[in-house]
């Protein structure tokens, strides 16, 4: 089944403890991206990647890192999480950066709470 | 800069009736794509429908259609014959297709509740 897999689905952590949210897609998509969703703000892009070893900042990159060493994986790294990073996070992918006529395929989401 | 506006925070509709969710956008790009996504209470984002700025016909996908009015910069989603399972958040989004920006813009969403 074609899908984007995020892990974990839920995570509670403490301020300052490094964490990684994994994202993997099995569709050979070139384009992958991370979003955060906050009430009343919709989805905002954190980082995106056009292909292996090619990443760039989105609208809200502060406090996050990403890497794209393999085409299928695009982990999101929070080096020192803070409470304002408590949010619902989505990974998404598409065949190319345009999203194609089929849109972006989203993962199931990761609900992160930083205390 | 691109901007998406969804003016209806919440909408209510009777089961089996049609409902229109509004979306207006602002862009200086000539080539762009418009998307609608559904987010049920379980949280996943589900792609519904796509409209390209140069597509002359309105997009349709089953019970979903996109009422695209380019001059008015609107891309309203029409759901015909609403079902209880249509209760969800709906997001309008757009992407520049000319290569100027690789960051899609999402609206803040509209919550739709379908009554039996």
């Amino acid at each position: 089944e074609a899908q984007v897999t995020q892990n974990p689905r839920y995570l509670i952590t403490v301020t300052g403890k490094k964490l990684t949210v994994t994202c993997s897609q099995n569709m050979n998509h070139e384009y992958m991206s991370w979003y955060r969703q906050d009430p009343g703000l919709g989805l905002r892009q954190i980082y995106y990647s056009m292909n292996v070893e090619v990443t760039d900042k989105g609208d809200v990159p502060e406090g996050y890192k990403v890497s794209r060493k393999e085409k299928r994986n695009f982990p999101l790294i929070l080096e020192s999480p803070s409470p304002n990073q408590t949010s619902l996070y989505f990974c998404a992918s598409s065949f190319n950066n345009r999203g194609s006529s089929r849109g972006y395929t989203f993962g199931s989401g990761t609900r992160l709470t930083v205390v | 800069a691109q901007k998406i506006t969804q003016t209806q925070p919440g909408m209510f509709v009777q089961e089996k009736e049609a409902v229109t969710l509004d979306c207006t956008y602002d862009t200086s790009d000539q080539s762009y794509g418009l998307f609608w996504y559904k987010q049920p209470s379980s949280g996943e984002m589900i792609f519904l429908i796509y409209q390209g700025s140069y597509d002359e016909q309105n997009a349709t996908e089953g019970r979903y259609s996109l009422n695209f009015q380019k001059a008015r910069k609107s891309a309203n989603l029409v759901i015909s014959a609403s079902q209880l399972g249509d209760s969800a958040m709906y997001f309008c989004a757009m992407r520049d297709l000319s290569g100027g920006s690789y960051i899609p813009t999402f609206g803040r969403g509209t919550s739709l509740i379908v009554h039996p």
Side-chain angles (χ1 to χ4, degrees), chain B residues 47-63:
Chain B
F47 167 72
L48 295 178
I49 197 166
Y50 167 86
Q51 178 85 40
S53 58
Y54 288 112
D55 294 338
E56 293 187 354
Q57 296 209 342
N58 286 344
T60 60
E61 290 280 356
R63 293 186 300 110

Side-chain angles (χ1 to χ4, degrees), chain A residues 33-36 38 43-49 55-67 74-82 84-85 89, chain B residues 103:
Chain A
S33 58
W34 277 102
Y35 297 85
R36 61 178 288 172
D38 301 292
L43 279 80
R44 295 178 292 169
Q45 193 178 60
I46 303 170
Y47 269 94
Y48 64 92
S49 170
T55 63
D56 210 343
K57 297 176 181 179
D59 289 324
V60 287
E62 294 79 19
Y64 305 94
K65 287 175 59 177
V66 293
S67 68
F74 190 46
L76 179 70
I77 302 156
L78 285 72
E79 294 270 2
S80 182
S82 61
N84 65 12
Q85 292 179 298
Y89 291 86
Chain B
I103 302 175

Side-chain angles (χ1 to χ4, degrees), chain B residues 38-114:
Chain B
K38 172 184 178 181
Q39 186 178 41
S41 58
S42 51
E44 71 267 31
M45 294 288 286
I46 303 167
F47 167 72
L48 295 178
I49 197 166
Y50 167 86
Q51 178 85 40
S53 58
Y54 288 112
D55 294 338
E56 293 187 354
Q57 296 209 342
N58 286 344
T60 60
E61 290 280 356
R63 293 186 300 110
Y64 303 108
S65 61
L66 200 152
N67 183 0
F68 181 47
Q69 298 186 42
K70 193 171 181 178
R72 299 179 64 179
K73 294 189 175 179
S74 74
N76 298 339
L77 177 70
V78 181
I79 305 174
S80 63
S82 298
Q83 302 172 355
L84 296 178
D86 293 334
S87 294
M89 282 289 291
Y90 289 82
F91 292 94
C92 179
M94 74 177 298
R95 260 300 320 280
D96 169 28
L97 300 180
S98 61
S101 169
Y102 301 121
I103 302 175
T105 302
F106 283 79
R108 297 189 176 188
T110 295
S111 175
L112 176 66
I113 296 176
V114 180

